[in-house]
Amino acid sequence: IFEALLKRAFPKSNLDFISSVRGSTGCWFYCKPENFKTYVADQKPDLLIIGGISNYHTGEVAANTAAILEVAERAKKELACEVLILTPALSIDTRGTDVTPRKWTLAGDERTRKQIDPERLYPGAARLGVPVWDMTTPCYTWLYASGKPYEFYSRDFVHSGERGKQIIGRVLFSYFLTAR
């Protein structure tokens, strides 16, 4: 959906989108030289977007953040491309069984909080001159306010279905419309 929205908003643009991912892996996988080459360098990106829900899937939070920053730094230095880091978007429904509309906060959502490391990520990205877009807050703000059941936006416990992808795509598209 994100790609379609961008092409519709910028019809004269010449945009090619390449999804280069291996499921259930985060930057701890892509920072290995052979994986960086295959999944990043060989794709020759002008803009590398680092995102997803698996960057904090395994290991220590600090090590996962370091891996994200390592991939970003290597892409800038070795490929001379622009880099954008996204925090995790809509994934696991952390509301529990109560889907009553209510306000969401990162501080009150322990599970989601474990997938974000703002204390290290934002300063590290700033040091590299790489923007970080918070996909987590708008997605989970929508989820908690929606009153919709889990099945409305998800295809399974972890992955978004078609509606979930639309939510994520529209949030990402909104950032692109307002980016400097």
Side-chain angles (χ1 to χ4, degrees):
I1 181 113
F2 161 68
E3 294 94 339
L5 290 169
L6 268 183
K7 285 186 178 207
R8 184 172 66 193
F10 304 99
K12 294 181 182 180
S13 66
N14 183 17
L15 302 170
D16 290 320
F17 300 91
I18 300 168
S19 293
S20 183
V21 297
R22 180 173 168 243
S24 297
T25 56
C27 282
W28 44 269
F29 174 82
Y30 302 107
C31 67
K32 294 177 183 174
E34 64 275 13
N35 298 334
F36 182 85
K37 180 185 179 315
T38 301
Y39 289 93
V40 183
D42 287 354
Q43 308 308 315
K44 298 177 178 52
D46 295 316
L47 169 64
L48 172 65
I49 301 177
I50 300 172
I53 60 172
S54 295
N55 279 315
Y56 293 96
H57 182 67
T58 185
E60 294 294 320
V61 170
N64 290 326
T65 300
I68 293 168
L69 296 172
E70 180 181 334
V71 170
E73 185 172 30
R74 284 185 65 192
K76 284 189 73 161
K77 284 182 179 177
E78 295 176 22
L79 308 176
C81 69
E82 294 185 59
V83 178
L84 167 62
I85 298 172
L86 308 176
T87 65
L90 187 60
S91 177
I92 296 171
D93 189 340
T94 57
R95 296 174 296 173
T97 57
D98 180 10
V99 298
T100 304
R102 60 189 184 275
K103 184 177 168 80
W104 177 84
T105 63
L106 182 60
D109 188 340
E110 183 178 339
R111 185 172 192 134
T112 302
R113 200 171 57 242
K114 289 179 182 178
Q115 297 206 7
I116 301 174
D117 185 16
E119 294 79 17
R120 291 182 193 87
L121 183 62
Y122 285 94
R127 178 181 51 79
L128 298 174
V130 172
V132 178
W133 289 355
D134 177 8
M135 294 289 292
T136 309
T137 299
C139 287
Y140 278 89
T141 297
W142 171 85
L143 174 66
Y144 274 66
S146 74
K148 302 290 185 191
Y150 155 83
E151 298 84 10
F152 180 82
Y153 74 91
S154 287
R155 73 167 199 231
D156 60 37
F157 180 68
V158 176
H159 300 96
S160 292
E162 290 308 311
R163 286 187 184 118
K165 290 176 189 176
Q166 289 180 23
I167 295 160
I168 294 167
R170 290 185 183 285
V171 170
L172 187 55
F173 175 67
S174 296
Y175 276 119
F176 269 86
L177 285 180
T178 60
R180 288 184 253 161

